[in-house]
Structure formats: C-alpha cells, structure tokens
Amino acid sequence: MSSPHLPLSRRGLLAAGAGAGAALALAALPAHAGARPFGRYGSPERRRTPQTLYVDPHGRGDFSTVQAAVTAATGSGRTLVLAPGVYRETVALDTTRTEATWIGAAEDPGAVVIAFDHAAGTPKPGGGTYGTTGSATVTAQADGFTARWITFANDWLRADHPDITGTQAVALKVQGDRSAFHDCRFLGHQDTLYADSTALGVFARQYFARCYAEGDVDFVFGRATAVYEHCHFRTLNRTDLATAPYGFVLAPSTAAANPYGYLVSRSRISSEAPDAAYKLGRPWVPSSDTTARPSLVVRDSYLGPGVDAVAPYTDMSDAFPWQNQRFAEYRNSGPGAAISVPENRPQLTAEQAGSATREAYLGDWTPWKEC
C-alpha cells in the first residue's frame, strides 16, 4: 500500500513549487543519498550494465532530463536509473524502445517525480490545443515497459485556467503490452492515469502493484486489460461544485471483443471529499469505438465512505447505459460497498469470481513474480 510520505501529493508539489517540491522529496531520503544519488544501482563510473543509463537533474548522471536519456536509449532492454528530484518535462517512449525499465534510485516514489502541466485545452505553440492524449506528462507506447518507485504527475489546475474548458490533464498514458508499474504514484485531477493500447484491435496487458492514484473525473480510464493489485485510489475534494457527483474513479473503454477489461483486486478507495460524493465507475464508449463494451470488476477491496453506495455506477452517455456493460463486484467491504439497492450493485457468483483473477486477465505474463 501507500508509503508514509504519500501525502506529498501533486497539490503539495504545485503549492511548494518545483524546487521546494524536490527538497521535500529529498528530505525523506537517507543521509547518504546526496553522495550516492543512484543508491545501490551503480553510477556512470560504475555502470550496473552496459545497457544502463543514469539520469540526475543536478548533473551527476549521463543526462539531466529523462527525455534525453530515453532518446539515447535506442533499441531494446535499456534501463534508466533516476536520481531523486523533480523532472519538469514531458517524456515520450515510442514503440521501438521495447523492454525498457525505469527505476527510481531512492526506492521511494515520493523522491522521483516527473511532472508537467498541459491540459487538453492548453493552446499549442503552433496553433490548436493538445487534446487529452497530448496533455500527457509521460507517454509510454513500447511493449515490456516497467517502472518502479516513480511519481507521474500532471499539476495543471482548473482554478488557474478558468478560460479553458478542456480540463483533461493526463499524468501517464501507457499503451504497451506487458507494461508493469510497481510502487508508483499517479497524481492529477481529470484523466490522471490513461491505461490504454496503441490501436482499437490491440489488447494491451498492464499491471499495477502497490500503486497510488488520485484525481476526480474518470481518473483511471482507457481500453487496456489492466490489473490493479494492492493499490490505493484517492478521490479529491472539489470546491468548484456545489453538489455530487464530484467525479468517477474508473472509466474503462474495453473493446467488445476483449473478454478482460479492468480488474481491481485487494485495493482500497479513500476520499478527501464528502461522503458519497463519488461514483465508483462509469462506462466510456468513445466516438472512435461505439461498439465498446466497458468491463470492470472490483473485488476483495475496501470502498470508503466517499463512494456512493446506493448508486455507485452511472452513465457517461444515455446511449450506452452502464447496465448494458460488464460491471461487477465481489466480496468488497467498507461503507462504500454496502448493498442497499441490489440492482445497482451486480455481484459475481463464486464460480464467476474464479475467472476474475490476475492469472486469467494477464495469461502467460506474470509480472507479480518480479515484485
């Protein structure tokens, strides 16, 4: 679950400023971290492997930005070791850079932060706007990508930009098959974590272990086959709305041909918003795939009082009611899991639950063995 210093959220980083945010993150590190910015993972002088590159914003690595290291790390099987700090940039890992690994050297996700502040409606220098996909701080398209102990953040705020209506602001868009995230954080407001694939007909498998994601509107969304295990989802308060719902935690857009969408297992949902202010999920049927049949299973998880227990699901579009999609729960607990209106909370049978497992969703790929 979440580490003790997870309250250093994207809001805290924004309020403190990038420099102060970096200082706060560094304060949590062992005393020797300044002398050994790459921890136990070597250094440019003592390279762990020939395929390893070192990134440090203070100039002690091979590169001072993540994107410069990604650009240099061509081919397959490259590892980036990131020293503590705030990397204020956008990063794109294209499909050719397969089997890449990014490691936060401090082994604390609060110490290594990649952050930027584009929203969908942010004007681009050459004209137009970024759109949801273009707003992403980090875009990871390559198959076999693994990240450990890193925070991915988008610190764009609605209150600072009342003139912008496209308020989607993605921290991470991940599209590759066999993409794994261990002990990472995803910080944003709307559309924080975009777990997707590279094309409509591609079923990308993704795994999130002991991760933390926060936001408000559809802040975990997309068409990937994604397993969230031992994760913590936190819904944020909103002062710009007078009434609920404030937002929606999960918004899958699973292709109809894909038997597996989002699986949330042994996780928890907490909230800083009023009780029942949030929906657990809603189906996203995008205009690019009107045949989608979103799939979501939440099982063996704790749902806090921030989740609307009476009506935990709602429609994104009247044309695609949630009841016609593939939404179900199993053995959840907590005030947000109370079943008072059974027809609003479809439950798996024990037999059905036997097929709602990480093994079934991910097939021959077993990333939990790499934890």
Side-chain angles (χ1 to χ4, degrees):
M1 285 295 183
S2 309
S3 74
H5 6 287
L6 280 179
L8 178 59
S9 69
R10 56 168 302 291
R11 283 183 169 178
L13 286 168
L14 184 66
L24 286 169
L26 286 166
L29 302 180
H32 65 269
R36 296 177 52 202
F38 304 107
R40 62 188 177 96
Y41 295 97
S43 67
E45 296 73 31
R46 296 190 175 188
R47 204 169 297 276
R48 195 181 191 196
T49 72
Q51 294 287 84
T52 302
L53 294 175
Y54 296 87
V55 189
D56 175 37
H58 306 291
R60 296 168 292 182
D62 299 306
F63 301 94
S64 59
T65 69
V66 180
Q67 184 59 63
V70 168
T71 300
T74 56
S76 184
R78 304 300 296 269
T79 296
L80 304 187
V81 180
L82 278 59
V86 176
Y87 297 84
R88 189 142 196 96
E89 58 179 306
T90 59
V91 185
L93 180 77
D94 67 33
T95 58
T96 67
R97 289 163 167 79
T98 58
E99 313 304 326
T101 298
W102 296 0
I103 299 172
E107 301 185 20
D108 174 358
V112 175
V113 179
I114 308 173
F116 212 72
D117 61 351
H118 282 157
T122 301
K124 295 172 68 174
T129 58
Y130 284 97
T132 299
T133 290
S135 74
T137 297
V138 174
T139 302
Q141 296 182 310
D143 291 345
F145 176 62
T146 298
R148 297 178 184 274
W149 303 299
I150 296 172
T151 290
F152 302 86
N154 190 318
D155 55 14
W156 188 90
L157 286 176
R158 299 182 187 95
D160 294 341
H161 305 276
D163 56 318
I164 292 180
T165 56
T167 57
Q168 300 89 344
V170 178
L172 171 73
K173 180 171 184 176
V174 54
Q175 298 176 278
D177 185 39
R178 294 179 292 101
S179 297
F181 298 84
H182 305 277
D183 302 284
C184 289
R185 301 190 306 171
F186 309 96
L187 311 182
H189 272 273
Q190 182 171 351
D191 291 7
T192 305
L193 173 55
Y194 195 170
D196 206 50
S197 69
T198 54
L200 291 178
V202 175
F203 302 161
R205 296 166 295 172
Q206 296 162 10
Y207 180 71
F208 301 82
R210 301 175 307 281
C211 290
Y212 171 91
E214 70 178 25
D216 48 43
V217 177
D218 305 328
F219 65 93
V220 180
F221 74 114
R223 65 170 170 256
T225 293
V227 174
Y228 306 89
E229 193 166 52
H230 297 295
C231 289
H232 178 188
F233 305 90
R234 184 161 179 82
T235 60
L236 300 176
N237 200 8
R238 296 185 65 174
T239 58
D240 58 318
L241 294 179
T243 60
Y246 284 10
F248 321 88
V249 180
L250 300 140
S253 58
T254 321
N258 188 353
Y260 303 113
Y262 283 7
L263 171 64
V264 177
S265 176
R266 292 180 287 177
S267 296
R268 65 185 173 112
I269 298 175
S270 67
S271 181
E272 66 177 45
D275 290 357
Y278 276 84
K279 303 294 185 181
L280 179 59
R282 63 177 182 170
W284 177 31
V285 179
S287 58
S288 59
D289 183 17
T290 56
T291 66
R293 283 200 66 215
S295 172
L296 169 66
V297 172
V298 180
R299 62 171 300 169
D300 300 297
S301 295
Y302 176 85
L303 312 185
V307 174
D308 181 355
V310 175
Y313 307 107
T314 191
D315 303 334
M316 190 177 295
S317 166
D318 291 342
F320 304 102
W322 73 264
Q323 293 90 343
N324 292 351
Q325 312 310 321
R326 295 175 285 177
F327 281 23
E329 301 176 56
Y330 184 68
R331 291 196 313 196
N332 293 321
S333 61
I339 302 174
S340 58
V341 184
E343 59 267 32
N344 287 347
R345 308 208 72 142
Q347 302 290 310
L348 298 178
T349 65
E351 182 178 0
Q352 291 169 331
S355 299
T357 64
R358 63 188 184 186
E359 290 82 2
Y361 275 58
L362 302 180
D364 60 357
W365 180 47
T366 56
W368 56 89
K369 293 182 179 180
E370 303 168 10
C371 292

